[in-house]
Amino acid sequence: MFTIVKREEMAQGTVILNEIEAPLIARKAQPGQFVILKANEEGERIPLTMAETDAAKGTITIIYMVVGKSTAVFRDLQVGDAYQDVIGPLGKPTHVEKVGKVLCVGGGTGVAVLHPITRAFKEAGNDVTCIIGARSKDLLILEDKMKAASNDLRVCTDDGSYGHHGFVTDVVKAVLDKEKVDQAVAIGPVPMMKAVCAITKQYDVPTLVSLNPIMIDGTGMCGGCRVTVGDKTKFACVDGPEFDGHQVNFDELQTRLRAYMEEEKACYDSHCR
Ligand code: FES
């Protein structure tokens, strides 16, 4: 069993942090890798990229938004409760090297995934500018951690309640107009990643994105996580989760993510009743 040792509610309770005892995973995991969690015997398998690992303590940290029944079941778990299954580390780690100037862009809970990657690029000797965004100030997460993990942090909110009033893409464009960037990383909602990649492509900046399609086994067996990258079918769980953002078919990914929306809503509504 994988016991929760710390639990925090963020962004007005819509985002939950769980630090979980998982010593074998904590020892092996690298930035960019993910785990698949199941709360109980009947539970759905949910893939989540690790926000933090602590090999000495033997723990991993996940940060997720409550969006449906399964994450609502996760939210009910308190410190001392346990997930029945946590498998990982899965997927390929982020390829981190010294390239010069790196631009890390995160939105929503994608910021949690971006945090260890940003830190790794900075530790590798890169000059890292980070841009994070949320709909409003109270939905912004991990600002202090992202500040420490980067050389320069810019913050945006859609409603202007904090930082730049507007989308992360406005600031991405402003940075690229002024500076030469050698590598970008964009992690967040699909429309955000698509929009960031459309801009970085104009400036010829290689851009990594981390994809989170529906997954079942997480080991390349079921095909549930298939995505199209450069007209080739890839499995996000074993070929990713990170891909060249300029090659990803984001429209197809978005359509596949919405395939079970009605069923998911009905399931969530009956859970909440
Ligand atoms: Fe089954 Fe990736 S989750 S192939």
Side-chain angles (χ1 to χ4, degrees), residues 217-236:
D217 63 299
T219 58
M221 305 282 282
C222 70
C225 68
R226 66 187 178 276
V227 290
T228 303
V229 182
D231 292 330
K232 290 202 173 76
T233 297
K234 299 278 182 185
F235 292 164

Side-chain angles (χ1 to χ4, degrees), residues 4 8 12 27 31 56 68 71 74 90 94 102 106 115 118 126 130 144 159 183 203 210 218 220 231 237 252 258 261:
I4 297 170
E8 267 177 39
Q12 298 181 317
R27 213 179 296 155
T71 42
F74 284 10
L90 298 169
T94 308
V102 177
H115 172 244
T118 305
N126 294 290
C130 192
D144 291 346
D159 66 357
Q183 173 76 55
Y203 291 80
S210 180
D231 292 330
C237 65
E252 179 194 70
R258 288 185 178 142
M261 257 175 82

Side-chain angles (χ1 to χ4, degrees), residues 111-127:
V111 175
V113 177
L114 192 64
H115 172 244
I117 296 169
T118 305
R119 187 173 54 196
F121 271 110
K122 189 180 171 194
E123 284 172 359
N126 294 290
D127 176 18

Side-chain angles (χ1 to χ4, degrees), residues 165-213:
H165 183 176
F167 299 128
V168 290
T169 42
D170 304 340
V171 186
V172 168
K173 195 165 180 328
V175 170
L176 294 178
D177 276 338
K178 269 198 183 152
E179 299 179 63
K180 181 184 173 299
V181 171
D182 300 290
Q183 173 76 55
V185 184
I187 305 179
V190 172
M192 184 213 91
M193 293 192 287
K194 181 183 173 186
V196 170
C197 288
I199 295 171
T200 57
K201 196 167 185 182
Q202 290 169 21
Y203 291 80
D204 214 12
V205 179
T207 304
L208 279 178
V209 293
S210 180
L211 306 185
N212 192 16

